[in-house]
Amino acid sequence: MPLKDPVAVYNAAKNTEAQNVCFALQQSGIEAHVIEDFSPGRMWAFGALPEIHKPQVFVERDDVERAVPVIEEFEQTRRRRQAEGEDAAAADKPVEAECESCGKRATFPASRRGTVETCPHCGAYLDVPGDDEFDWSEAETGMDE
């Protein structure tokens, strides 16, 4: 059913995001509709032009107050998932280790965290730091000198 007094409550970055917000609103009992961006006019030689036809989610003016908490929850979930993705990406970064024998640094894949490897420079064994490494050089011993 078309909206009688539509109000845009969400400007999405892409169509799928607008569809997800619309679905969340509908699941909360709020009638919502999406205007998607299928315009080829926003494309040019260097990619997509921003801010031409943003996908938007519309609700009835009377439902705006009910829609706000649903949209806020969607945004919090999106930010949390984005942060988790960034944490996962950081966990995939290579790890550096310093050889105690030759003093040179070596880089190892993230999958080698917490293992003992051979130094590519001198052949000695070296510990590759893991996620839960403790820096003993900065630790306070608590002992009186």
Side-chain angles (χ1 to χ4, degrees):
M1 182 165 98
L3 300 173
K4 294 177 185 164
D5 190 13
V7 175
V9 291
Y10 193 80
N11 291 322
K14 51 189 173 181
N15 292 336
T16 54
E17 182 180 345
Q19 287 292 342
N20 288 337
V21 170
C22 184
F23 181 74
L25 290 166
Q26 290 170 347
Q27 291 299 305
S28 297
I30 301 169
E31 186 176 355
H33 295 277
V34 174
I35 303 296
E36 294 182 328
D37 179 16
F38 291 119
S39 63
R42 77 182 284 240
M43 298 302 291
W44 67 308
F46 301 106
L49 289 172
E51 305 292 331
I52 298 294
H53 298 286
K54 281 234 179 233
Q56 293 181 309
V57 179
F58 289 85
V59 299
E60 285 287 353
R61 186 173 302 278
D62 295 340
D63 290 333
V64 171
E65 286 185 35
R66 289 179 39 217
V68 169
V70 175
I71 293 170
E72 287 175 349
E73 182 180 348
F74 174 84
E75 284 290 313
Q76 288 174 354
T77 302
R78 185 178 62 80
R79 282 191 295 271
R80 180 179 46 78
R81 287 182 178 164
Q82 182 179 10
E84 289 171 357
E86 290 170 359
D87 290 344
D92 290 340
K93 289 185 180 178
V95 60
E96 283 193 353
E98 184 174 340
C99 179
E100 292 179 11
S101 297
C102 68
K104 294 183 180 178
R105 299 190 68 76
T107 304
F108 297 94
S111 62
R112 306 309 303 165
R113 289 182 189 273
T115 62
V116 176
E117 299 294 326
T118 304
C119 176
H121 305 289
C122 70
Y125 292 116
L126 62 94
D127 294 322
V128 179
D131 293 333
D132 58 348
E133 285 294 310
F134 185 77
D135 188 357
W136 289 101
S137 65
E138 296 178 12
E140 293 183 25
T141 61
M143 300 175 68
D144 293 332
E145 294 183 25

mmCIF file with all atom_site columns, all heavy atoms in Angstrom, residues 4 9 18 27 33 37 43 45 78 107:
data_model
loop_
_atom_site.group_PDB
_atom_site.id
_atom_site.type_symbol
_atom_site.label_atom_id
_atom_site.label_alt_id
_atom_site.label_comp_id
_atom_site.label_asym_id
_atom_site.label_entity_id
_atom_site.label_seq_id
_atom_site.pdbx_PDB_ins_code
_atom_site.Cartn_x
_atom_site.Cartn_y
_atom_site.Cartn_z
_atom_site.occupancy
_atom_site.B_iso_or_equiv
_atom_site.pdbx_formal_charge
_atom_site.auth_seq_id
_atom_site.auth_comp_id
_atom_site.auth_asym_id
_atom_site.auth_atom_id
_atom_site.pdbx_PDB_model_num
ATOM 1  N N   . LYS A 1 4   ? 0.798  7.609   2.525   1.00 0.00 ? 4   LYS A N   1
ATOM 2  C CA  . LYS A 1 4   ? 0.008  8.832   2.308   1.00 0.00 ? 4   LYS A CA  1
ATOM 3  C C   . LYS A 1 4   ? 0.843  10.078  2.558   1.00 0.00 ? 4   LYS A C   1
ATOM 4  O O   . LYS A 1 4   ? 0.711  11.067  1.858   1.00 0.00 ? 4   LYS A O   1
ATOM 5  C CB  . LYS A 1 4   ? -1.213 8.823   3.216   1.00 0.00 ? 4   LYS A CB  1
ATOM 6  C CG  . LYS A 1 4   ? -2.195 7.737   2.869   1.00 0.00 ? 4   LYS A CG  1
ATOM 7  C CD  . LYS A 1 4   ? -3.352 7.709   3.825   1.00 0.00 ? 4   LYS A CD  1
ATOM 8  C CE  . LYS A 1 4   ? -4.225 6.513   3.464   1.00 0.00 ? 4   LYS A CE  1
ATOM 9  N NZ  . LYS A 1 4   ? -5.146 6.176   4.524   1.00 0.00 ? 4   LYS A NZ  1
ATOM 10 N N   . VAL A 1 9   ? 13.444 8.574   6.256   1.00 0.00 ? 9   VAL A N   1
ATOM 11 C CA  . VAL A 1 9   ? 14.024 8.412   7.588   1.00 0.00 ? 9   VAL A CA  1
ATOM 12 C C   . VAL A 1 9   ? 15.444 7.867   7.541   1.00 0.00 ? 9   VAL A C   1
ATOM 13 O O   . VAL A 1 9   ? 16.124 7.834   8.567   1.00 0.00 ? 9   VAL A O   1
ATOM 14 C CB  . VAL A 1 9   ? 13.151 7.487   8.479   1.00 0.00 ? 9   VAL A CB  1
ATOM 15 C CG1 . VAL A 1 9   ? 11.846 8.164   8.826   1.00 0.00 ? 9   VAL A CG1 1
ATOM 16 C CG2 . VAL A 1 9   ? 12.943 6.137   7.850   1.00 0.00 ? 9   VAL A CG2 1
ATOM 17 N N   . ALA A 1 18  ? 19.806 -0.028  2.321   1.00 0.00 ? 18  ALA A N   1
ATOM 18 C CA  . ALA A 1 18  ? 18.438 0.497   2.389   1.00 0.00 ? 18  ALA A CA  1
ATOM 19 C C   . ALA A 1 18  ? 17.436 -0.644  2.537   1.00 0.00 ? 18  ALA A C   1
ATOM 20 O O   . ALA A 1 18  ? 16.483 -0.541  3.316   1.00 0.00 ? 18  ALA A O   1
ATOM 21 C CB  . ALA A 1 18  ? 18.135 1.326   1.148   1.00 0.00 ? 18  ALA A CB  1
ATOM 22 N N   . GLN A 1 27  ? 9.769  -5.575  10.057  1.00 0.00 ? 27  GLN A N   1
ATOM 23 C CA  . GLN A 1 27  ? 9.720  -6.595  11.095  1.00 0.00 ? 27  GLN A CA  1
ATOM 24 C C   . GLN A 1 27  ? 9.259  -6.015  12.431  1.00 0.00 ? 27  GLN A C   1
ATOM 25 O O   . GLN A 1 27  ? 8.762  -6.735  13.280  1.00 0.00 ? 27  GLN A O   1
ATOM 26 C CB  . GLN A 1 27  ? 11.089 -7.270  11.268  1.00 0.00 ? 27  GLN A CB  1
ATOM 27 C CG  . GLN A 1 27  ? 11.488 -8.128  10.099  1.00 0.00 ? 27  GLN A CG  1
ATOM 28 C CD  . GLN A 1 27  ? 10.511 -9.266  9.877   1.00 0.00 ? 27  GLN A CD  1
ATOM 29 O OE1 . GLN A 1 27  ? 10.250 -10.033 10.781  1.00 0.00 ? 27  GLN A OE1 1
ATOM 30 N NE2 . GLN A 1 27  ? 9.975  -9.364  8.679   1.00 0.00 ? 27  GLN A NE2 1
ATOM 31 N N   . HIS A 1 33  ? 9.107  1.751   2.845   1.00 0.00 ? 33  HIS A N   1
ATOM 32 C CA  . HIS A 1 33  ? 9.371  1.537   1.420   1.00 0.00 ? 33  HIS A CA  1
ATOM 33 C C   . HIS A 1 33  ? 10.758 2.081   1.080   1.00 0.00 ? 33  HIS A C   1
ATOM 34 O O   . HIS A 1 33  ? 11.212 3.049   1.685   1.00 0.00 ? 33  HIS A O   1
ATOM 35 C CB  . HIS A 1 33  ? 8.317  2.235   0.554   1.00 0.00 ? 33  HIS A CB  1
ATOM 36 C CG  . HIS A 1 33  ? 6.947  1.667   0.734   1.00 0.00 ? 33  HIS A CG  1
ATOM 37 N ND1 . HIS A 1 33  ? 6.523  0.554   0.068   1.00 0.00 ? 33  HIS A ND1 1
ATOM 38 C CD2 . HIS A 1 33  ? 5.923  2.053   1.532   1.00 0.00 ? 33  HIS A CD2 1
ATOM 39 C CE1 . HIS A 1 33  ? 5.277  0.274   0.436   1.00 0.00 ? 33  HIS A CE1 1
ATOM 40 N NE2 . HIS A 1 33  ? 4.898  1.167   1.325   1.00 0.00 ? 33  HIS A NE2 1
ATOM 41 N N   . ASP A 1 37  ? 18.618 3.100   -5.949  1.00 0.00 ? 37  ASP A N   1
ATOM 42 C CA  . ASP A 1 37  ? 19.367 3.805   -6.989  1.00 0.00 ? 37  ASP A CA  1
ATOM 43 C C   . ASP A 1 37  ? 19.792 2.809   -8.063  1.00 0.00 ? 37  ASP A C   1
ATOM 44 O O   . ASP A 1 37  ? 20.731 2.052   -7.867  1.00 0.00 ? 37  ASP A O   1
ATOM 45 C CB  . ASP A 1 37  ? 20.597 4.481   -6.382  1.00 0.00 ? 37  ASP A CB  1
ATOM 46 C CG  . ASP A 1 37  ? 21.410 5.212   -7.434  1.00 0.00 ? 37  ASP A CG  1
ATOM 47 O OD1 . ASP A 1 37  ? 20.885 5.456   -8.526  1.00 0.00 ? 37  ASP A OD1 1
ATOM 48 O OD2 . ASP A 1 37  ? 22.567 5.534   -7.149  1.00 0.00 ? 37  ASP A OD2 1
ATOM 49 N N   . MET A 1 43  ? 27.138 6.827   -12.917 1.00 0.00 ? 43  MET A N   1
ATOM 50 C CA  . MET A 1 43  ? 28.434 6.258   -13.272 1.00 0.00 ? 43  MET A CA  1
ATOM 51 C C   . MET A 1 43  ? 29.136 7.176   -14.276 1.00 0.00 ? 43  MET A C   1
ATOM 52 O O   . MET A 1 43  ? 28.513 7.739   -15.165 1.00 0.00 ? 43  MET A O   1
ATOM 53 C CB  . MET A 1 43  ? 28.261 4.869   -13.889 1.00 0.00 ? 43  MET A CB  1
ATOM 54 C CG  . MET A 1 43  ? 27.631 3.865   -12.954 1.00 0.00 ? 43  MET A CG  1
ATOM 55 S SD  . MET A 1 43  ? 28.539 3.632   -11.423 1.00 0.00 ? 43  MET A SD  1
ATOM 56 C CE  . MET A 1 43  ? 29.987 2.810   -12.024 1.00 0.00 ? 43  MET A CE  1
ATOM 57 N N   . ALA A 1 45  ? 33.484 7.974   -15.877 1.00 0.00 ? 45  ALA A N   1
ATOM 58 C CA  . ALA A 1 45  ? 34.759 7.335   -16.203 1.00 0.00 ? 45  ALA A CA  1
ATOM 59 C C   . ALA A 1 45  ? 35.562 6.907   -14.979 1.00 0.00 ? 45  ALA A C   1
ATOM 60 O O   . ALA A 1 45  ? 36.316 5.950   -15.039 1.00 0.00 ? 45  ALA A O   1
ATOM 61 C CB  . ALA A 1 45  ? 35.601 8.268   -17.068 1.00 0.00 ? 45  ALA A CB  1
ATOM 62 N N   . ARG A 1 78  ? 25.529 -2.335  12.736  1.00 0.00 ? 78  ARG A N   1
ATOM 63 C CA  . ARG A 1 78  ? 26.403 -2.145  11.571  1.00 0.00 ? 78  ARG A CA  1
ATOM 64 C C   . ARG A 1 78  ? 27.791 -1.697  12.011  1.00 0.00 ? 78  ARG A C   1
ATOM 65 O O   . ARG A 1 78  ? 28.801 -2.208  11.536  1.00 0.00 ? 78  ARG A O   1
ATOM 66 C CB  . ARG A 1 78  ? 25.788 -1.123  10.614  1.00 0.00 ? 78  ARG A CB  1
ATOM 67 C CG  . ARG A 1 78  ? 26.560 -0.945  9.309   1.00 0.00 ? 78  ARG A CG  1
ATOM 68 C CD  . ARG A 1 78  ? 25.878 0.037   8.386   1.00 0.00 ? 78  ARG A CD  1
ATOM 69 N NE  . ARG A 1 78  ? 25.776 1.367   8.940   1.00 0.00 ? 78  ARG A NE  1
ATOM 70 C CZ  . ARG A 1 78  ? 26.773 2.261   8.951   1.00 0.00 ? 78  ARG A CZ  1
ATOM 71 N NH1 . ARG A 1 78  ? 27.940 1.952   8.452   1.00 0.00 ? 78  ARG A NH1 1
ATOM 72 N NH2 . ARG A 1 78  ? 26.597 3.449   9.470   1.00 0.00 ? 78  ARG A NH2 1
ATOM 73 N N   . THR A 1 107 ? 59.683 -10.944 9.228   1.00 0.00 ? 107 THR A N   1
ATOM 74 C CA  . THR A 1 107 ? 58.225 -10.876 9.128   1.00 0.00 ? 107 THR A CA  1
ATOM 75 C C   . THR A 1 107 ? 57.686 -12.256 8.801   1.00 0.00 ? 107 THR A C   1
ATOM 76 O O   . THR A 1 107 ? 58.208 -12.948 7.924   1.00 0.00 ? 107 THR A O   1
ATOM 77 C CB  . THR A 1 107 ? 57.813 -9.875  8.030   1.00 0.00 ? 107 THR A CB  1
ATOM 78 O OG1 . THR A 1 107 ? 58.405 -8.609  8.339   1.00 0.00 ? 107 THR A OG1 1
ATOM 79 C CG2 . THR A 1 107 ? 56.316 -9.719  7.961   1.00 0.00 ? 107 THR A CG2 1
#
